[in-house]
Amino acid sequence: MSAGTRPSPAADPALAERLGVFEGRPAGPDLEAADEVNQAMIRHWVEATGDENPVYVDTGAARRAGFAGIVAPATMLQAWTMRGYRRTKEIEQWRARGRSRAGDVTDVTDITDAAGAPDDSPLDELFGLLDEAGFTSVVATDCQQEYLRPLVLGDRLRARSTIEAVSPEKRTALGAGHFVTTLTEFSDATGATVATMRFRILRFRPGPVGAREEQRPLRPRPAITPDTAFFFEGARHGQLLIQRCASCGRLRHPPAPSCRWCRSLEWDTVASSGRATLYSFVVVHHPQVPAFDYPLVIGLVELEEGTRLVADLVGVAPDKVTIGMPVLVDMVSYDDELTLPVLRPVPDEDAR
Amino acid sequence: MSVTRATRLHDDVSVGEQLPELAVPLTRTLIVAGAIASRDYQDVHHDPELARERGSEDVFMNILTTNGWVGRFVTDWTGPGGVVEQVSIRLGAPNYPGDTMVLSGSVTEVGDPAARRDGRGDVTLSVRGSNSRGDHVTGTVRVALPRRGAELRPLPGGR
Amino acid sequence: MSSRPSSRHGFAGTTALVGIGATEFSKSSGRSELRLATEAVAAALDDAGLQPEDVDGLVTFSADTNPEIELARSLGMGELTFFSRIHYGGGAACATVQQAAMAVHSGVADVVVCYRAFNERSGARFGAGVQGRPPLPTAESSQFSWYAPQGLLTPASWVAMFAQRYLHVTGATTEDFGRVAVADREHAATNPAAWFYGQPITLEEHQSSRWIVEPLRLLDCCQETDGGQALVVTGLDRARHLRQPAVVIRAAAQGSGDQQDMMTSYYRDDLTGLPEMEVVARQLWATSGLGPEDVQAGILYDHFTPFVLYQLEELGFCGRGEAKEFVRDGHLHLGGRLPTNTHGGQLGEAYLHGMNGIAEGVRLVRGTSVNQVPGTDHVVVTAGTGVPTSGLVLGAER
Ligand SMILES: [Zn+2]
């Protein structure tokens, strides 16, 4: 996990520009220590590190050593504003709901607790952008702390973090990634700075993903009723079917039991030509659901026959999509059960 | 105010001095104890099954605990009157259970005592913690040590 | 401006909002949704100077998880003679007040409490969308079949489809969406109850916030909130003897448009309007005898910024396609033509499914908003947009 790096030739300049705007922004809201510097937490710490230095537990020894009283181990700094298991549960829920695909070897609490994310903070936004670009894994790489005075029992800390730097894309031993550096200022109850920290993590693109593709979750299933089954059945046979009133001949979508014009309950279907014009569209970035690839372009089209339809728009870069562009309907099978119409741009020579 | 004999004095330190090595046998319990003491409940620091699912070989030590071991390693050498003022570390090979991390270090700089007015002088150390895979941590630590016979200015406490 | 009573809506001008109460607005309440509802209702009754045993009616959203009987048990309300629920998500907000007013006016109940409480941030989050919903063979569930398998899963994505078309047709820009967010956050910045108290944003920050679903950015989207809000409705005669000055319900209306869907009404002639809000607006103005010119402040439902522009047009504060000029001229801010969402809205204060906005409407009429609009006689309040919706005109008794 060494941080030896070189620039990555495949880096995306547009992404670099979007990442650059985060430099200098606050990482998130200030973190208030839940508890004062206290003997109990110090005891857990010195037991965990086998530290027998008496200045952490014995007032007399601490005073004899030149301290004002019992002090906390200097390197325990970050522990005072960590938000503990409650925070971890929040992050787990956040991930479970598809807000992030961060995974693999992660040390997310280290940095998020140091800097306040994920809570719709700038750091959260930055991580969102990196997630989206595929840099979903995290490892803490560097920590520099400077202690301006020892912390004594009763001190209460507040941590304020800013995003100092977001590196261009680098190749590392772990894979291509971006280093994110935060600066944290720890202050006491009087507002005086007692310590500073520079913390660096690497967000990197995890290794081969073939194994994951095989276990990719299925797309959400359509809820099918006797009024709508024909559409999905037709799609499985490669046809985009539109419901047609058997009485007055008008077309309708989404399907309904009755014709809104002549109230007839009788209907059949017609197959669409597949020629359509883009009426509106969206580019989905968040939340990211594992069944889909992002950014995901979804179009609302007017079919040549006159009805509208929502379908994924594929084969065109999001920034090349324009309202009014002609598209063609194609059928894509995602699994044994689900086939859906998708939209593809019309090749130039077919456009007219 | 004077200092107990157990504290190493600035006067007695010279560049190149080696710190006594500290071998840390890494067990799951030690790793988990550090994670909990630092309030880090990431599953990769306590749940072997989930750690493996995330592409790690086992649970591994979190960076806060590594920082703690570096601090302890240095203050073992300085004694109780040593004041840790700066720690910079970079992580490398993970600390997995079953391995042993050996901490070693040496003095790289002894500061001019006249630069400080609190009866102490700066010492800068280079520190390394290695396991069977290579360097787990490398870094530098700056400590302040009392000078022989100097009137020590008490360190500020505070609220 | 005096109001003339409407023969159509007998409750209008004869019923009043007499109490408001809320919990704190947080991201993790640490307590049950029923407890949030209990605390909010107790606070609203206290504000009104009423006791739980005075309550004989309850109204909430069909989306709420807190049954009326559990709330009544929790607070010792005893017997109830009226309980009712409104469907269609946030579109229910102002309709709860309408239901309460109708019950009071018809004599079915005397004191009715409207409430909404949820752990919408720490519990089930609406922003996560519908991907986890089981595909039931029902008409309501099957409507999602035209969007969910395609990946159009979230409220933000449903609204974005409208917003993209709106930009295309009207020439508005995403900065105009941002101006709504900036106004909301400016108001939240001075409201201690707001989540984003002390945290205004600039248009540049809006423009540099990350995409959620283009053309919507993070700062176009409301918060997700844990909390509860309650409102007390009774007859105007009784209201005059209670603790607070009566806030008269000048009009309350529901509306569903032609070819209405749940946020995906994509099959109408155009996507630059909210016909359901036009249905509401028409009733509000006809019932109250008022018009946009008689209203000094607006609480316009802001789960996503674009629909605030739509509402300005539907309610008649500007012409079709002219909301962009309206917001560019700063009219949403204090001192503007229609200071809007003076509590910070659902972007800045909290996402309480519109109910916190009704409370702010009450404060504006009482003259107690932290961002008080001087000389407020009438406030218009709206509920969830893109869905079958509702609205209110509230006024002072003078
Ligand atoms: Zn027909």
Side-chain angles (χ1 to χ4, degrees):
Chain A
M1 287 192 217
S2 125
T5 61
R6 56 206 163 93
S8 174
D12 168 9
L15 178 64
E17 197 177 311
R18 289 164 77 198
L19 297 176
V21 306
F22 287 90
E23 296 190 350
R25 293 180 66 187
D30 290 6
L31 291 184
E32 300 265 12
D35 294 292
E36 298 177 341
V37 170
N38 65 84
Q39 188 67 75
M41 279 176 65
I42 291 174
R43 195 177 305 284
H44 291 304
W45 180 273
V46 297
E47 286 183 2
T49 53
D51 196 333
E52 295 184 356
N53 190 336
V55 302
Y56 306 138
V57 291
D58 179 338
T59 306
R63 294 220 169 110
R64 283 194 295 279
F67 297 102
I70 287 175
V71 293
T75 52
M76 198 178 163
L77 176 66
Q78 240 179 313
W80 299 115
T81 52
M82 292 283 278
R83 285 176 290 175
Y85 183 40
R86 179 169 175 169
R87 181 59 171 174
T88 304
K89 279 191 291 190
E90 281 176 24
I91 292 170
E92 279 167 5
Q93 285 173 354
W94 180 71
R95 283 194 188 141
R97 292 182 189 284
R99 281 289 296 272
S100 167
R101 291 193 294 184
D104 302 344
V105 182
T106 59
D107 234 328
V108 150
T109 13
D110 290 341
I111 179 61
T112 55
D113 265 304
D119 205 355
D120 296 345
S121 65
L123 192 63
D124 182 24
E125 265 183 65
L126 170 59
F127 284 177
L129 269 181
L130 288 167
D131 267 356
E132 199 178 286
F135 305 103
T136 55
S137 289
V138 187
V139 64
T141 61
D142 299 78
C143 176
Q144 299 167 11
Q145 298 180 338
E146 183 156 16
Y147 317 100
L148 305 186
R149 70 163 174 83
L151 301 181
V152 299
L153 297 184
D155 270 319
R156 191 184 283 271
L157 296 198
R158 165 187 279 260
R160 169 171 296 183
S161 298
T162 49
I163 299 167
E164 184 190 43
V166 186
S167 80
E169 189 176 318
K170 306 272 192 182
R171 283 189 170 174
T172 75
L174 289 169
H178 293 266
F179 288 91
V180 177
T181 309
T182 52
L183 274 182
T184 303
E185 195 172 86
F186 293 87
S187 55
D188 64 13
T190 71
T193 303
V194 294
T196 60
M197 175 172 75
R198 173 177 279 114
F199 201 90
R200 183 170 293 130
I201 58 153
L202 173 67
R203 296 284 302 217
F204 62 98
R205 194 175 273 141
V209 294
R212 266 170 238 172
E213 285 294 325
E214 285 168 27
Q215 307 165 4
R216 175 168 230 187
L218 300 179
R219 286 184 170 221
R221 305 288 92 180
I224 294 169
T225 74
D227 302 326
T228 65
F230 75 90
F231 180 91
F232 299 98
E233 191 58 36
R236 271 195 294 278
H237 293 96
Q239 282 192 310
L240 171 57
L241 297 182
I242 308 170
Q243 198 181 31
R244 176 173 62 185
C245 174
S247 171
C248 72
R250 289 186 176 97
L251 304 182
R252 60 183 190 254
H253 182 85
S258 167
C259 171
R260 65 190 254 104
W261 293 278
C262 78
R263 324 290 190 226
S264 169
L265 288 163
E266 303 303 316
W267 55 269
D268 58 8
T269 61
V270 293
S272 167
S273 72
R275 289 184 176 277
T277 307
L278 192 66
Y279 188 77
S280 190
F281 68 98
V282 303
V283 185
V284 184
H285 296 265
H286 283 279
Q288 301 205 342
V289 175
F292 300 91
D293 292 317
Y294 295 89
L296 172 64
V297 185
I298 305 173
L300 170 65
V301 289
E302 273 184 342
L303 296 171
E304 190 173 58
E305 292 78 9
T307 56
R308 289 189 196 149
L309 178 76
V310 168
D312 294 357
L313 177 52
V314 301
V316 56
D319 60 354
K320 298 284 184 278
V321 179
T322 53
I323 286 177
M325 69 189 278
V327 293
L328 288 173
V329 174
D330 192 7
M331 289 290 166
V332 170
S333 290
Y334 296 97
D335 53 66
D336 291 347
E337 288 178 342
L338 184 66
T339 300
L340 292 174
V342 301
L343 312 168
R344 297 184 189 281
V346 177
D348 276 350
E349 56 271 33
D350 297 354
R352 56 207 78 103
Chain B
M1 180 180 287
S2 71
V3 136
T4 68
R5 279 188 302 278
T7 294
R8 189 169 299 273
L9 298 179
H10 187 261
D11 315 58
D12 298 335
V13 176
S14 52
V15 171
E17 183 177 344
Q18 303 285 311
L19 278 64
E21 282 190 355
L22 176 65
V24 184
L26 302 167
T27 63
R28 278 207 183 78
T29 309
L30 175 139
I31 288 165
V32 170
I36 292 174
S38 56
R39 293 177 57 69
D40 184 343
Y41 288 82
Q42 276 283 106
D43 50 30
V44 289
H45 304 313
H46 64 258
D47 187 331
E49 207 169 306
L50 285 177
R52 285 188 199 106
E53 250 179 57
R54 296 185 191 284
S56 174
E57 290 181 24
D58 202 330
V59 299
F60 58 93
M61 184 180 282
N62 68 332
I63 189 168
L64 278 77
T65 301
T66 300
N67 216 25
W69 279 100
V70 167
R72 181 213 144 171
F73 171 66
V74 170
T75 51
D76 275 5
W77 174 74
T78 66
V83 186
V84 178
E85 297 193 324
Q86 194 177 305
V87 175
S88 297
I89 60 168
R90 169 162 291 179
L91 288 193
N95 263 347
Y96 288 127
D99 210 337
T100 297
M101 171 173 68
V102 177
L103 287 155
S104 60
S106 61
V107 176
T108 56
E109 201 180 331
V110 178
D112 178 359
R116 297 179 68 117
R117 297 184 171 182
D118 61 355
R120 298 179 179 83
D122 287 343
V123 173
T124 306
L125 306 159
S126 154
V127 176
R128 175 183 304 270
S130 307
N131 59 32
S132 64
R133 296 156 193 273
D135 287 342
H136 165 65
V137 59
T138 52
T140 59
V141 177
R142 196 185 78 222
V143 289
L145 293 180
R147 288 165 53 214
R148 179 169 284 114
E151 184 64 18
L152 277 190
R153 183 176 301 176
L155 289 156
R159 289 286 156 127
Chain C
M1 173 69 49
S2 68
S3 57
R4 70 184 147 75
S6 160
S7 55
R8 253 181 91 218
H9 295 172
F11 62 83
T14 62
T15 53
L17 279 155
V18 296
I20 56 176
T23 64
E24 83 289 357
F25 304 131
S26 77
K27 302 298 182 192
S28 182
S29 73
R31 44 208 203 276
S32 72
E33 296 185 329
L34 181 58
R35 175 157 171 180
L36 295 175
T38 301
E39 291 180 21
V41 171
L45 289 170
D46 187 53
D47 182 56
L50 289 165
Q51 297 300 316
E53 51 269 34
D54 295 325
V55 176
D56 49 12
L58 290 171
V59 189
T60 187
F61 296 47
S62 61
D64 202 89
T65 66
N66 304 294
E68 301 89 330
I69 53 174
E70 296 302 331
L71 188 58
R73 188 207 320 274
S74 176
L75 280 165
M77 285 175 178
E79 297 172 348
L80 299 175
T81 59
F82 175 69
F83 24 95
S84 175
R85 292 194 177 210
I86 318 287
H87 201 40
Y88 305 120
C94 297
T96 64
V97 175
Q98 184 198 37
Q99 286 275 304
M102 289 194 294
V104 167
H105 178 71
S106 68
V108 164
D110 186 26
V111 174
V112 181
V113 178
C114 310
Y115 65 94
R116 180 82 175 103
F118 50 32
N119 285 320
E120 197 274 322
R121 179 57 162 70
S122 64
R125 298 174 66 169
F126 300 164
V130 297
Q131 76 256 20
R133 288 197 193 167
L136 303 173
T138 63
E140 192 159 52
S141 179
S142 76
Q143 280 309 309
F144 292 108
S145 303
W146 313 113
Y147 319 105
Q150 292 77 1
L152 203 70
L153 291 162
T154 60
S157 70
W158 303 327
V159 171
M161 193 70 86
F162 282 88
Q164 188 81 264
R165 184 75 193 176
Y166 185 86
L167 295 178
H168 177 77
V169 172
T170 66
T173 69
T174 64
E175 288 194 350
D176 298 318
F177 299 160
R179 289 181 172 95
V180 174
V182 169
D184 271 10
R185 291 288 295 269
E186 178 177 298
H187 298 148
T190 52
N191 173 10
W195 178 257
F196 285 117
Y197 175 53
Q199 296 180 64
I201 57 167
T202 63
L203 196 54
E204 292 68 36
E205 284 169 319
H206 169 272
Q207 288 289 301
S208 63
S209 70
R210 68 180 156 101
W211 292 119
I212 298 299
V213 180
E214 292 178 52
L216 299 187
R217 296 181 165 89
L218 176 68
L219 293 178
D220 289 307
C221 304
C222 66
Q223 308 175 48
E224 297 178 292
T225 299
D226 286 9
Q229 175 78 57
L231 311 158
V232 185
V233 174
T234 191
L236 187 53
D237 291 339
R238 181 162 187 177
R240 291 182 178 123
H241 301 101
L242 295 176
R243 185 172 285 165
Q244 302 283 356
V247 173
V248 182
I249 299 165
R250 294 289 177 203
Q254 280 190 296
S256 169
D258 185 30
Q259 300 194 71
Q260 182 74 54
D261 272 297
M262 278 294 285
M263 306 193 79
T264 53
S265 305
Y266 297 154
Y267 311 95
R268 294 165 168 166
D269 285 346
D270 83 88
L271 301 191
T272 58
L274 290 171
E276 57 276 13
M277 192 58 81
E278 202 274 326
V279 175
V280 170
R282 202 165 62 222
Q283 297 174 81
L284 292 182
W285 301 139
T287 303
S288 64
L290 302 168
E293 64 282 2
D294 303 312
V295 167
Q296 291 79 35
I299 306 294
L300 304 185
Y301 199 90
D302 55 345
H303 52 1
F304 301 100
T305 56
F307 279 165
V308 173
L309 304 188
Y310 282 63
Q311 291 179 84
L312 290 167
E313 297 172 13
E314 295 294 356
L315 290 162
F317 290 100
C318 58
R320 292 276 164 196
E322 292 172 5
K324 59 183 186 297
E325 285 85 12
F326 192 87
V327 300
R328 286 172 197 171
D329 292 342
H331 289 313
L332 303 184
H333 296 259
L334 292 174
R337 163 66 193 88
L338 189 75
T340 294
N341 300 338
T342 45
H343 56 320
Q346 302 194 93
L347 278 75
E349 186 186 63
Y351 176 74
L352 243 292
H353 241 163
M355 295 294 269
N356 53 323
I358 301 173
E360 175 68 2
V362 169
R363 285 187 292 265
L364 283 164
V365 173
R366 288 179 181 174
T368 60
S369 167
V370 294
N371 292 309
Q372 184 61 38
V373 178
T376 299
D377 289 324
H378 298 103
V379 178
V380 65
V381 185
T382 61
T385 42
V387 295
T389 188
S390 54
L392 293 170
V393 174
L394 304 179
E397 195 190 10
R398 47 182 170 248

